Amino acid sequence: MDETILLAHGSGSKLSHDLIEKSLLPPLDNPLLAKLDDSAVFDVSGRLAFTTDSYVVSPIFFLGGDIGRLAVCGTINDLAMSGATPLYLSLSLIIEEGLSLNELKKVIGSIKAAAEEAEVKIITGDTKVVNRGNADKLFINTSGIGIVPQGIDISGANAQVGDKIILSGTIGDHGIAVMSQREGLKFSVPIQSDCAPLNELVSQMLEASSQIHCLRDPTRGGLATTLNEFAKQSGVGIRIEEEKIPVHDGVRAACELLGFDPLYVANEGKLVAVVDSQDTDRILASMKRNPHGVDASIIGEVTEERRGRVIIKTRLGASRIVDMLSGELLPRIC
Amino acid sequence: MDETILLAHGSGSKLSHDLIEKSLLPPLDNPLLAKLDDSAVFDVSGRLAFTTDSYVVSPIFFLGGDIGRLAVCGTINDLAMSGATPLYLSLSLIIEEGLSLNELKKVIGSIKAAAEEAEVKIITGDTKVVNRGNADKLFINTSGIGIVPQGIDISGANAQVGDKIILSGTIGDHGIAVMSQREGLKFSVPIQSDCAPLNELVSQMLEASSQIHCLRDPTRGGLATTLNEFAKQSGVGIRIEEEKIPVHDGVRAACELLGFDPLYVANEGKLVAVVDSQDTDRILASMKRNPHGVDASIIGEVTEERRGRVIIKTRLGASRIVDMLSGELLPRIC
């Protein structure tokens, strides 16, 4: 019989302690977490990066991942995009009463696997349960702490005229994978989420060159939104070429069918880097040696013209403005 | 006309950026948050405390506080209970489509006020919106970072036989305040939540003595649960005296009416300290000088007998075991 989560699992009662000690702690076990104090305490020194994200993706399981893998990778990636080496994560669960314990255990298993892949530890946590109908199965918050090496200063505000823009791989995979799962769409070649931790890729890029000015993972709002943020934060123009942007055939077909522009579809295992033009080739070569960067390509450059704007040169040779998303494309994608 | 939150406010679109830049950033503004990069980066050195909590209280406004004040105070208190001086918080919102923008702004105003009271800054954040019916108005996660001073080692596992147990004030106020609000109960003297940041109180206690062995804020599950956790983590017995435990008359009356035991009702502005018996008076005196500790009293001691158990001497002179809560008392109290 499949047990389900009850309100009492979130009440601080014996049942809460049982859930934590039998189902949550064993897979994630480490000495800091095991202390079960109100805070985890550890020694650290240097420049710290701190980030948070809540994950509300629906459905919680999809091709290529689930909400657990997403919650680890998303926060790892936010740390990595500051050039930080991720150290520790917190894990906070908001569970809807009635979630099956087996589903919860499966998600915790994914969290364990993704944390091992990214070489981080989960050292503090929290579990809440809300009444049936007051949440949607499971929401997860992860916050993360990482160490930024000396000499690294990466920010969306650091793009300089003449810099090159590198994209680490194909766009739109995550958004279309979740959308297909949600709507029950079938494609001849199933589309998998690209959900992955990018900290190793970033660390290899930083070994190749310290001249990486901006880094961001184009999640909600897709590549178009990230580039617009860079243009705005740095006060520069950005020009990209459509034919340089890799898109899987299946994603392209799905986007045509559904009326989406892949530029705006979410990714969870890709990054955009704005780098010094002198070091572009070295950085690109380092990316191609990493499994998450094999399809990396230079997609454009930072310009003096049209400051605050992103311009795309289309396959037909025309130029048009790529604006920020103005409304909602796909709710609950991450 | 009262604007409401739309799905598009969480999509990474222009509307998301507007919400963040017009309604969320201005009240919380500081240079680290204003950078709007994926992580906040800052210098630090020493022993760090890291904690997380999600807040799902219903209703989101109650007498003496709201979900915003609770989300700041709760996480500040978890840091303080490790002896840490709180430095920074993250703030992650899960908003139900249809929440009024005015209510959201009111909550953000409370967050600002509580953060100022506790002297911490919110330096990184995230906003998600889920479809109507997939959450209940607003859930908030705050994670926190603090610095633990040299020589401080506070843990639920550190209680020693002979230690005294100090409670900082009356119990049950928060739980009964939320419950009254939820059920529309009226009392002749309205019961207010005790929701408050306790970091200043803890810092004054630590100035008075370094011999504070355990500290915890008795939230979900109340005083009974916290004492049981200490008894279990430290492998000691705990004996308390009912007549030493302060309870407001209104809370006592409400508990009798509703069939609750105040020992199990949640608090959000109280702490339990297990301290060396030599230093008890000095610590107690330091607490009484702080507005959040004026009603502090010694409620019991750590014993060799009945290891792992909490025993209460009742007003009638009898002794009984105070066990952990076995089921659910009040859902969604924090």
Side-chain angles (χ1 to χ4, degrees), chain A residues 56-123:
Chain A
V56 298
V57 65
S58 167
I60 61 172
F61 298 99
F62 47 83
L63 210 59
D66 62 24
I67 192 170
R69 180 169 173 81
L70 189 64
V72 172
C73 296
T75 294
I76 289 296
N77 291 347
D78 280 348
L79 290 173
M81 297 310 136
S82 301
T85 305
L87 290 179
Y88 298 122
L89 296 185
S90 64
L91 172 68
S92 179
L93 308 173
I94 300 176
I95 309 174
E96 185 190 11
E97 177 190 18
L99 179 72
S100 99
L101 185 59
N102 281 340
E103 284 189 303
L104 181 60
K105 285 181 177 171
K106 207 171 145 190
V107 170
I108 299 295
S110 299
I111 289 172
K112 171 194 167 74
E116 283 174 0
E117 192 178 333
E119 296 184 1
V120 291
K121 293 207 178 333
I122 289 150
I123 60 168

Side-chain angles (χ1 to χ4, degrees), chain A residues 118-133:
Chain A
E119 296 184 1
V120 291
K121 293 207 178 333
I122 289 150
I123 60 168
T124 187
D126 176 50
T127 306
K128 293 289 190 315
V129 181
V130 301
N131 317 58
R132 208 179 286 261

